[in-house]
Amino acid sequence: MGLQVVRFEKDGKENWGVVSNNQILALKNSYSSLAQFLEEGVEEARQVKESGTGETVSLDEVTVLSPVTQPARIVCQGANYSSHRAEAGLEATRPPFNLIFGKADSSLCGAYSEIIRPSHVQLLDYEIELGLVLGTEISQAVEVTDETLHQYVAGLVIMNDVSARDVQLCEGQWLKGKSYRTFGPTGPYLYLLDKDEIALIHDLELKCFVNDELRQSANTNQLLFKPAETLTELSEIMNLSKGDLIITGTTGGVALNLSPDVLGQISSLALPYQQKLDLLVESQINNGKYLEDGDVIRCQIRSADGTIDLGEQVNKVVPSKVAIS
């Protein structure tokens, strides 16, 4: 069975620990980054879990931090579930290419942190996603298969790929629309996989609630481009480092709901920006699903048998105190 690892702050000090019976077994050694922990700390974590020794800290006494640390590449897959493709105005079938984009690592925040809504953003959306944490360097093209996936993926996390749809779609800037600070709640746990658990990556249940209303529910067996295939493709394009994060796309149930006609108009290079913005906002603003100040989002990912459990995120939306243009 794998390990639930948590990165936390207590009394002004950051540390890593293993979760056991709703307690943290703190590691003696400190690790300044996820990459260093994966390089030097995994064996200590396994020993602590097996022995049950070490300082015990209550989860209620600490500030839980994102287990993914800066600097890190955050590589994102877009429109990777048929249900989300349909609600975004796209054909629901698997497309001829894997949609890849990036998200700034400065968007990372903890699983219980506040999500700060920029003052100019009207269409703030949520996206639960399974995150794959890289456990090795990739600097050349490799062929990754389901049988070799364990050599590349060290563990799993939840990420809420918070998105400013009015920025993302009207400006055509996915990186910008998804990269505001706090737009990447991650964790609470990094689940370190045992080799024999790798196959469960393809059978994890995702659930996202907004104000206790279930909005998103899916299984990773519905992913259109699977992890091994995606890693193979990425290796042909770019270098990846230990501790980097690949998020695999969100499922249906987000606030965004576009008709193909509206999508076509706001994607047109010929249509002036303000007309695009007016059209998008008019089509979306009253659907009752976009995030408002005070809303609380809960995200969960686990296997049906409970063997793999990435914990639960709970994040509240709050207004920015700073005007951003």
Side-chain angles (χ1 to χ4, degrees), residues 14 29 32 55 72 79-80 132 134 183 210 213 226 254 319:
E14 295 182 8
N29 296 311
S32 61
E55 179 188 0
N80 200 26
L132 312 176
L134 270 287
F183 273 27
V210 179
E213 176 191 356
K226 309 293 187 184
V254 300

Side-chain angles (χ1 to χ4, degrees), residues 9-278:
E9 180 181 340
K10 185 175 187 292
D11 299 329
K13 295 182 179 180
E14 295 182 8
N15 201 359
W16 296 80
V18 178
V19 178
S20 179
N21 298 321
N22 294 316
Q23 299 283 317
I24 301 173
L25 301 176
L27 305 189
K28 291 183 178 179
N29 296 311
S30 60
Y31 303 98
S32 61
S33 67
L34 175 56
Q36 186 186 20
F37 169 76
L38 292 174
E39 184 72 28
E40 303 173 9
V42 173
E43 186 58 34
E44 180 187 2
R46 295 194 185 282
Q47 290 175 359
V48 165
K49 178 61 181 296
E50 290 175 5
S51 67
T53 59
E55 179 188 0
T56 301
V57 183
S58 170
L59 280 164
D60 296 330
E61 297 175 354
V62 306
T63 299
V64 175
L65 306 173
S66 167
V68 179
T69 60
Q70 299 181 54
R73 298 178 184 89
I74 303 177
V75 182
C76 313
Q77 292 179 261
N80 200 26
Y81 286 82
S82 291
S83 56
H84 181 51
R85 293 184 61 81
E87 68 188 359
L90 302 165
E91 291 186 3
T93 55
R94 173 175 154 134
F97 60 86
N98 199 348
L99 177 59
I100 302 295
F101 61 96
K103 188 175 179 91
D105 61 5
S106 52
S107 68
L108 290 166
C109 66
Y112 312 121
S113 300
E114 293 179 334
I115 296 169
I116 300 172
R117 180 185 59 80
S119 57
H120 65 289
V121 171
Q122 300 179 71
L123 303 177
L124 187 65
D125 210 347
Y126 49 88
E127 293 190 1
I128 186 173
E129 305 203 15
L130 174 67
L132 312 176
V133 173
L134 270 287
T136 189
E137 309 289 322
I138 298 178
S139 58
Q140 61 183 4
V142 293
E143 182 177 356
V144 183
T145 66
D146 285 345
E147 289 68 36
T148 62
L149 189 58
H150 68 278
Q151 299 174 16
Y152 300 93
V153 177
L156 308 174
V157 294
I158 304 171
M159 176 180 261
N160 183 355
D161 181 23
V162 180
S163 305
R165 298 300 190 192
D166 30 7
V167 176
Q168 174 195 357
L169 298 176
C170 294
E171 295 186 15
Q173 300 207 55
W174 288 43
L175 174 68
K176 181 177 174 183
K178 291 170 173 282
S179 291
Y180 292 93
R181 295 178 186 89
T182 74
F183 273 27
T186 303
Y189 307 139
L190 162 63
Y191 188 90
L192 293 176
L193 291 156
D194 284 343
K195 180 179 177 180
D196 60 2
E197 294 178 316
I198 276 288
L200 287 175
I201 288 179
H202 305 293
D203 190 19
L204 297 175
E205 297 177 347
L206 292 75
K207 294 186 184 298
C208 176
F209 303 81
V210 179
N211 300 329
D212 293 327
E213 176 191 356
L214 180 62
R215 296 281 184 88
Q216 294 183 276
S217 180
N219 189 289
T220 53
N221 61 22
Q222 299 165 354
L223 286 168
L224 299 175
F225 290 90
K226 309 293 187 184
E229 179 182 10
T230 298
L231 276 173
T232 298
E233 180 180 359
L234 290 176
S235 78
E236 298 168 349
I237 302 166
M238 62 189 295
N239 292 345
L240 293 165
S241 300
K242 187 174 296 188
D244 284 349
L245 179 64
I246 297 170
I247 55 174
T248 53
T250 200
T251 184
V254 300
L256 180 73
N257 199 311
L258 293 177
S259 68
D261 178 61
V262 171
L263 176 62
Q265 292 185 65
I266 62 176
S267 300
S268 171
L269 296 176
L271 194 68
Y273 165 76
Q274 191 59 50
Q275 290 185 34
K276 290 183 183 182
L277 180 60
D278 292 344

Side-chain angles (χ1 to χ4, degrees), residues 303-319:
S303 58
D305 63 2
T307 302
I308 294 178
D309 188 347
L310 309 188
E312 180 181 68
Q313 291 185 1
V314 182
N315 303 97
K316 183 178 181 179
V317 178
V318 300

